[in-house]
Amino acid sequence: MKYFDIDTWEEILVTITRNRTRSLLTAFGIFWGIFMLIALMGSAQGVQDLMSANFKGFASNSGFLGANTTSKAYKGFQQGRYWDLENSDVIRLQKAIPGLELVTPTLARWGNSIVYQENSINGTLKGLYPDYTAIEEPNLIFGRYINSIDVRDQRKVCVIGKQIFETLFPDKENPCGKFIKVGGIYYQVIGVNVATGNISINGDSETSVIIPFSTMQHNYNFGNKVQVICYTARQGVSISSLEKRIAEVVKQAHLIHPDDQQALIQLNAEAMFSMMDDLFAGIRLLGWMVGLGTLLAGAIGVSNIMMVTVKERTTEIGIRRAIGAKPKDILGQILSESIVLTIVAGMGGICFGVFLLNIVEQTVSDAHFQIGFWGAIGSCVILILLGLLAGLAPAFRAMAVKPIDAMRDE
């Protein structure tokens, strides 16, 4: 059989359009199945992008440590004792746990009045070291970030968040060099951070004023107190594998019972990101299952219709066999009709799905509601395979038709 012969394709077209209503209804099953598959795949990607935007710039291999009241008496200390993390804990963790790449402390004060001329806003004051950028990556549009000299000299300088910048400087001019008042103390603005990630330690980055850690401790009488210790693991080391050792080192230094599960507050961002990855993997798997299930139902419909078509064409097939048509010619003809019907309907579903996803993408920022190149290729391969599978049973039935039986049916 010559698959690129014009007469062959004309015959396929005539066969498919002989009963238009039946062909359209059959094609709709394939159309809807592949559309569902494309829509679910694209939607899952878009939702994942939207969720990932909330974590943008945040270290996925990070962990956080805070102090809480004790729940067990230990070495003369009563249950319910209050205690604080200290500067020495940072050095202690750096020396005791080589798997940690970065250990940095943070301080914060909430509900501060932040004023510039007649404009004011309430926000969070944070004391940080320059290396905190490895935890939350800043996005500076003006100026610079806190540096080691600012920390060493306890400078009264600050980096302001996006919402504070827009409120205090509505004209959007460069505020660097100007002074803002935070809780009665003036700080010189040296940078504007417009990062908008929804994961923020000790307060939202958009409504935060960042000052040197040493300045924070000195100006607000924190002494050696540390509220939260942030850390990241070295490449190839998981935070989960270090958490137990971190707790042991801190508990031993502060005379806390080794089995006290309340005294330390530990947050594992790595585990949270892993959970999110598993969630989206499950969503993608569910999308494939639903789409492929719908496609399979459509392919069964195509197979059933082709079986009916073969039954109706028994005499035609018998005559072709009588005048010399080989079984492979009959097989190729039926399979070609099944594949053409499946591919035409499937490509229509792919185009419609991509079109709708493109509309959604135009209305939603920071997300790509589209399937990837290999996803589209995979969908096309699935269409071809389904076309072959749907046509196999009718094709073998057509091959089994004998000329004498066809004449007898007639």
Side-chain angles (χ1 to χ4, degrees):
M1 177 181 179
K2 297 179 180 179
Y3 293 102
F4 295 98
D5 181 64
I6 295 179
D7 293 335
T8 300
W9 290 106
E10 184 177 355
E11 182 178 354
I12 293 173
L13 180 62
V14 169
T15 302
I16 293 175
T17 58
R18 185 177 297 166
N19 191 323
R20 291 186 177 87
T21 302
R22 184 169 65 190
S23 296
L24 285 174
L25 291 176
T26 304
F28 182 76
I30 297 294
F31 170 88
W32 187 253
I34 199 68
F35 165 73
M36 287 291 293
L37 180 61
I38 297 299
L40 288 171
M41 289 170 58
S43 298
Q45 181 62 50
V47 173
Q48 183 173 0
D49 288 346
L50 287 175
M51 293 296 293
S52 298
N54 295 328
F55 311 137
K56 186 177 181 181
F58 196 86
S60 60
N61 65 331
S62 58
F64 308 91
L65 180 68
N68 196 15
T69 56
T70 61
S71 62
K72 293 180 180 292
Y74 188 63
K75 290 190 175 181
F77 291 100
Q78 295 182 348
Q79 176 183 345
R81 171 169 62 100
Y82 290 92
W83 65 284
D84 293 309
L85 293 168
E86 299 175 350
N87 292 339
S88 57
D89 290 317
V90 175
I91 301 173
R92 188 175 290 117
L93 290 174
Q94 289 172 335
K95 292 181 178 180
I97 306 177
L100 291 175
E101 181 174 24
L102 167 71
V103 183
T104 185
T106 68
L107 290 170
R109 295 184 73 217
W110 297 269
N112 298 274
S113 176
I114 306 167
V115 180
Y116 177 73
Q117 295 180 354
E118 71 277 4
N119 300 319
S120 66
I121 185 176
N122 286 335
T124 304
L125 183 66
K126 293 183 181 181
L128 303 176
Y129 276 98
D131 56 8
Y132 184 78
T133 56
I135 303 292
E136 285 186 79
E137 182 181 357
N139 181 12
L140 300 175
I141 58 172
F142 294 115
R144 62 174 178 86
Y145 201 73
I146 301 295
N147 62 31
S148 58
I149 298 176
D150 298 327
V151 176
R152 184 195 65 190
D153 296 342
Q154 298 183 9
R155 289 177 174 175
K156 293 182 180 179
V157 295
C158 68
V159 176
I160 60 177
K162 178 181 178 181
Q163 191 172 335
I164 293 177
F165 166 64
E166 293 174 347
T167 302
L168 299 187
F169 304 94
D171 294 334
K172 305 292 182 65
E173 74 272 14
N174 186 347
C176 293
K178 298 178 180 179
F179 288 84
I180 62 174
K181 185 169 69 172
V182 183
I185 299 177
Y186 283 91
Y187 295 93
Q188 185 178 32
V189 178
I190 60 172
V192 177
N193 176 25
V194 295
T196 58
N198 287 341
I199 295 184
S200 298
I201 305 304
N202 275 342
D204 188 355
S205 61
E206 293 189 55
T207 56
S208 294
V209 175
I210 299 170
I211 64 175
F213 184 84
S214 57
T215 305
M216 185 81 168
Q217 281 192 319
H218 179 267
N219 286 0
Y220 300 95
N221 299 318
F222 279 103
N224 291 323
K225 178 181 176 181
V226 172
Q227 290 175 336
V228 176
I229 294 179
C230 311
Y231 44 84
T232 60
R234 296 187 184 278
Q235 186 174 5
V237 180
S238 69
I239 289 293
S240 300
S241 66
L242 301 176
E243 283 188 312
K244 183 178 179 180
R245 178 58 181 155
I246 291 172
E248 289 176 352
V249 170
V250 175
K251 286 179 180 179
Q252 183 178 5
H254 291 272
L255 300 178
I256 297 171
H257 196 289
D259 297 328
D260 193 333
Q261 302 298 319
Q262 176 181 297
L264 289 179
I265 301 174
Q266 289 181 284
L267 174 64
N268 187 342
E270 183 181 63
M272 179 181 63
F273 279 99
S274 177
M275 183 175 63
M276 293 297 297
D277 290 340
D278 292 342
L279 172 64
F280 285 114
I283 292 175
R284 287 192 293 270
L285 178 60
L286 178 62
W288 275 100
M289 291 176 63
V290 172
L292 290 177
T294 309
L295 266 178
L296 183 60
I300 293 173
V302 172
S303 182
N304 289 336
I305 292 302
M306 293 303 298
M307 291 288 282
V308 173
T309 302
V310 168
K311 180 65 176 177
E312 292 175 348
R313 298 165 62 190
T314 299
T315 302
E316 173 194 332
I317 294 172
I319 293 174
R320 293 182 62 180
R321 290 292 304 277
I323 61 177
K326 298 178 181 179
K328 67 177 183 179
D329 296 327
I330 303 299
L331 177 67
Q333 180 67 30
I334 301 301
L335 286 179
S336 297
E337 294 171 6
S338 174
I339 292 174
V340 168
L341 182 61
T342 302
I343 290 180
V344 170
M347 293 306 294
I350 292 176
C351 293
F352 185 60
V354 171
F355 172 72
L356 288 185
L357 288 173
N358 186 61
I359 293 177
V360 174
E361 186 171 324
Q362 297 301 319
T363 59
V364 180
S365 60
D366 299 325
H368 300 286
F369 287 83
Q370 290 291 359
I371 61 171
F373 173 76
W374 290 111
I377 294 297
S379 300
C380 294
V381 172
I382 289 172
L383 283 176
I384 296 173
L385 292 177
L386 285 177
L388 283 171
L389 293 174
L392 279 177
F396 282 116
R397 178 171 180 175
M399 285 175 57
V401 174
K402 298 179 181 179
I404 187 64
D405 295 334
M407 297 302 179
R408 187 179 294 115
D409 287 344
E410 182 64 19

